[in-house]
Amino acid sequence: MEKRREEILKEVEKKGEVRVADLSQHYKCSEVTIRNDIKALHAKGLLKRVHGGAIKIEDVPYRKYTAESIYKNVEQKKAIAKCAYEYINSGDTIIIDDASSSFYLALHIKEHPEKTVAIVTNSLLVGNEVAGLSHVELYMVGGHVGGHLAATMGDDTIENFNGFKVDKAFMGVRGINFEVGLTSIATPQMQVKRAILRVAQRVFVLVDSSKFGGGYVSVICPIDQVYKIVTDNLISEENRRQAEELGIPMIVAE
């Protein structure tokens, strides 16, 4: 199965478009099987599912990085990034953290030179994308490099962040639990995000709709400590209703 999906992906990259009927005939399997393959690849953000087949996603940095989370829910993260960008003013100093949703904001900034910004980040991936751009002044936060998305963390990183005072911060979280607040995958990431909260005048949380609810390991802060939560339009009606009832400042990217 994995080999077939890899081959389908290669065909999409080569031809730009594939059809379910053709793939079914080529691999001598049912169209249902091919549709499931395409659905799985679409969910990972590796291609775009369309009626009768799939097409290449031209502007995704395909396999440029090894972190799998960058290639999940790509369209949602792009919509979130585009929405978040509207809250950035030219001349702002902002923090972009090491989350995959934040990474797409960095890509959006890269592609839109009309706003001049200063970016402070602990993400090596973000730094790699925006370094050398004429409309971006980049400050890399030092420290020990670790984590799934290659970022600095630990005491040195926290001390470095404490030396900044920024207009806005854009960060991702492991999840949003309406009862306990914003959650993190582990303590080192939690400590960095708490440091970001201390040095930013306004904090925007960028989180796709799959991150609402569920369990948690570490709690970063209550939800009322952030300025806005930006999510995508696939968020459930139940989560929308609950956020509204609790007065949570949420923006849904369309």
Side-chain angles (χ1 to χ4, degrees):
M1 180 177 66
E2 287 302 320
K3 183 179 179 181
R4 184 179 63 246
R5 290 179 180 178
E6 289 178 6
E7 290 177 357
I8 290 172
L9 202 52
K10 288 178 182 178
E11 282 295 296
V12 172
E13 287 295 306
K14 179 181 178 181
K15 298 179 179 178
E17 181 178 4
V18 294
R19 310 302 297 172
V20 169
D22 295 338
L23 293 173
S24 173
Q25 184 177 6
H26 177 76
Y27 291 107
K28 295 180 173 55
C29 60
S30 70
E31 292 190 4
V32 172
T33 297
I34 296 298
R35 288 193 190 98
N36 287 336
D37 288 339
I38 289 175
K39 184 178 180 181
L41 293 168
H42 173 85
K44 292 181 178 181
L46 299 176
L47 50 70
K48 185 173 182 179
R49 184 171 50 159
V50 296
H51 181 70
I55 60 175
K56 180 180 178 180
I57 299 176
E58 295 289 347
D59 51 352
V60 173
Y62 173 63
R63 293 186 179 176
K64 183 175 181 178
Y65 302 104
T66 58
E68 186 64 27
S69 61
I70 288 177
Y71 306 107
K72 292 181 178 179
N73 303 323
V74 172
E75 295 304 315
Q76 294 96 305
K77 290 172 183 176
K78 285 183 179 180
I80 291 167
K82 181 179 178 181
C83 182
Y85 182 75
E86 297 303 313
Y87 290 86
I88 299 174
N89 299 318
S90 189
D92 275 351
T93 299
I94 65 173
I95 288 174
I96 298 180
D97 81 341
D98 63 329
S100 58
S101 294
S102 306
F103 172 79
Y104 279 93
L105 176 58
L107 291 184
H108 195 84
I109 290 171
K110 179 180 180 178
E111 295 163 0
H112 291 81
E114 57 267 27
K115 294 179 184 179
T116 301
V117 294
I119 295 177
V120 181
T121 186
N122 66 321
S123 167
L124 273 65
L125 279 61
V126 168
N128 183 55
E129 293 294 335
V130 302
L133 299 177
S134 60
H135 63 290
V136 173
E137 186 175 355
L138 175 64
Y139 297 89
M140 290 297 304
V141 174
H144 172 73
V145 176
H148 176 62
L149 289 170
T152 57
M153 59 188 69
D155 292 342
D156 290 339
T157 301
I158 292 169
E159 184 177 349
N160 270 262
F161 266 126
N162 288 337
F164 289 93
K165 193 68 178 176
V166 303
D167 301 304
K168 295 152 190 167
F170 298 86
M171 70 181 194
V173 295
R174 173 66 178 83
I176 293 181
N177 185 302
F178 289 126
E179 295 181 1
V180 301
L182 308 179
T183 66
S184 180
I185 194 168
T187 300
Q189 287 86 351
M190 174 197 71
Q191 292 172 335
V192 169
K193 293 179 191 297
R194 285 182 176 177
I196 291 171
L197 282 161
R198 289 193 295 269
V199 302
Q201 291 183 22
R202 291 179 175 177
V203 174
F204 294 77
V205 175
L206 312 183
V207 56
D208 70 72
S209 52
S210 69
K211 298 293 184 67
F212 286 83
Y216 59 92
V217 176
S218 304
V219 178
I220 302 164
C221 68
I223 296 176
D224 62 10
Q225 288 190 21
V226 303
Y227 180 66
K228 299 284 186 184
I229 294 171
V230 187
T231 190
D232 61 77
N233 61 9
L234 297 181
I235 184 172
S236 70
E237 288 300 324
E238 181 182 353
N239 283 329
R240 288 185 193 232
R241 177 186 54 77
Q242 193 170 0
E244 186 175 352
E245 289 176 354
L246 295 172
I248 294 170
M250 190 163 67
I251 304 163
V252 178
E254 300 298 337

